Amino acid sequence: MQVSVLASGSKGNAVYVEMDGVRLLLDAGISATRIKKGLAAEGIDAASLDGVLITHEHRDHIAGLVTLSKWYELPIFTRRATIEHMSCRSSIPAERFHAIEGAFCIGDLTIDPFSIPHDAADPVGYRITGSSRCTLATDLGFVTASVQEAIDGADVLVLEANHDPEVLKHGDYPWALKRRILSNRGHLANADAAWALVRMKKRPAHVFLAHLSEKNNTPELAENTVEEILHRQGLDIPICMTAQDRAVHLH
């Protein structure tokens, strides 16, 4: 399995997963040029992608989708409500879209979307299972019981660690935005990400901490917070920090 977090953060998100001969892009929230170059740096032609999985319709997850769909005739998989709420929907041929509900297959992989609590039309995370399992869970206000169940069993987990609540509360964001981020349909705090890892029955081999806020977090703070909680619980789980401006890879 190969996982490359091409970009992660409030300015744009895109994750590449290759497993059992199937190549997938999870979200296209950065420019198509960046996606193309990021994949090419790994020796991958973007035209060889088997599909694009979209988590929700916010711009930082779909910004490159129109150009990507013009350059390559790639199938786009997401919830029907997400398609309907996409600002760019009319710029993408209708036949590219594939509305999803439950689990479905692409090649030898089973893709299982699961609902996440976020302020979007019908947002999801994705559990991708083949010879291994990779799970993406970002943009969620808190870890529900169903999300906790969905992330369990992941060999590789991409998990949000968006902010430190105290940094956020004392920062310069307007109160309405602070309240949104802190809400049950906002973004996941560092400590909440750590406790989600603690509760996992099977420990993942690798964890990417993703969607870090540029204003209300730092990679050092997120990593230290998570690792301190894991250490106190007697757990040692490899942590990898993602970034907004560069790709982070696992081969």
Side-chain angles (χ1 to χ4, degrees):
M1 174 168 50
Q2 177 180 347
V3 180
S4 296
V5 181
L6 302 179
S8 185
S10 58
K11 291 181 179 176
N13 300 270
V15 179
Y16 172 75
V17 177
E18 181 174 341
M19 191 191 317
D20 300 345
V22 178
R23 295 176 166 181
L24 301 173
L25 184 69
L26 282 61
D27 285 330
I30 55 176
S31 72
T33 297
R34 267 192 76 187
I35 291 170
K36 178 181 178 181
K37 288 181 177 178
L39 293 176
E42 291 292 292
I44 300 149
D45 183 353
S48 70
L49 289 168
D50 294 293
V52 182
L53 311 179
I54 299 297
T55 59
H56 63 292
E57 72 275 12
H58 290 168
R59 178 172 173 77
D60 58 321
H61 295 263
I62 64 168
L65 196 57
V66 171
T67 303
L68 201 66
S69 65
K70 285 180 180 177
W71 289 353
Y72 315 106
E73 295 183 2
L74 302 175
I76 301 166
F77 301 89
T78 192
R79 295 283 206 213
R80 186 173 302 280
T82 299
I83 298 170
E84 292 171 352
H85 283 80
M86 279 185 183
S87 58
C88 61
R89 178 188 179 187
S90 61
S91 300
I92 298 173
E95 61 270 19
R96 299 273 198 281
F97 289 111
H98 299 263
I100 59 173
E101 292 297 331
F104 61 100
C105 293
I106 300 178
D108 291 333
L109 301 185
T110 298
I111 318 296
D112 194 4
F114 55 92
S115 294
I116 56 175
H118 192 53
D119 55 354
D122 192 0
V124 295
Y126 287 104
R127 183 172 60 195
I128 303 168
T129 306
S131 56
S132 301
R133 177 176 290 175
C134 177
T135 303
L136 172 77
T138 65
D139 295 75
L140 62 162
F142 73 109
V143 179
T144 64
S146 59
V147 169
Q148 187 70 51
E149 181 180 358
I151 67 174
D152 215 355
D155 298 294
V156 176
L157 175 62
V158 182
L159 180 66
E160 180 170 50
N162 176 258
H163 65 276
D164 180 281
E166 291 305 310
V167 175
L168 173 62
K169 289 174 185 175
H170 292 93
D172 58 4
Y173 276 10
W175 174 241
L177 181 54
K178 292 179 181 180
R179 188 168 55 201
R180 172 192 174 252
I181 294 169
L182 291 166
S183 77
N184 284 347
R185 300 180 74 230
H187 288 278
L188 200 64
N190 297 333
D192 292 333
W195 286 110
L197 295 176
V198 170
R199 291 191 296 267
M200 292 180 73
K201 298 181 182 72
K202 176 190 172 185
R203 307 301 173 206
H206 299 278
V207 173
F208 289 94
L209 293 183
H211 216 301
L212 273 69
S213 169
E214 288 185 308
K215 296 273 190 178
N216 306 306
N217 213 352
T218 66
E220 294 77 20
L221 180 56
E223 187 173 23
N224 290 342
T225 300
V226 171
E227 288 189 340
E228 181 181 347
I229 291 172
L230 293 177
H231 180 73
R232 289 205 310 261
Q233 299 300 311
L235 299 175
D236 182 18
I237 300 175
I239 299 293
C240 184
M241 305 306 299
T242 64
Q244 182 70 84
D245 57 353
R246 60 182 175 81
V248 180
H249 309 288
L250 169 69
H251 296 276

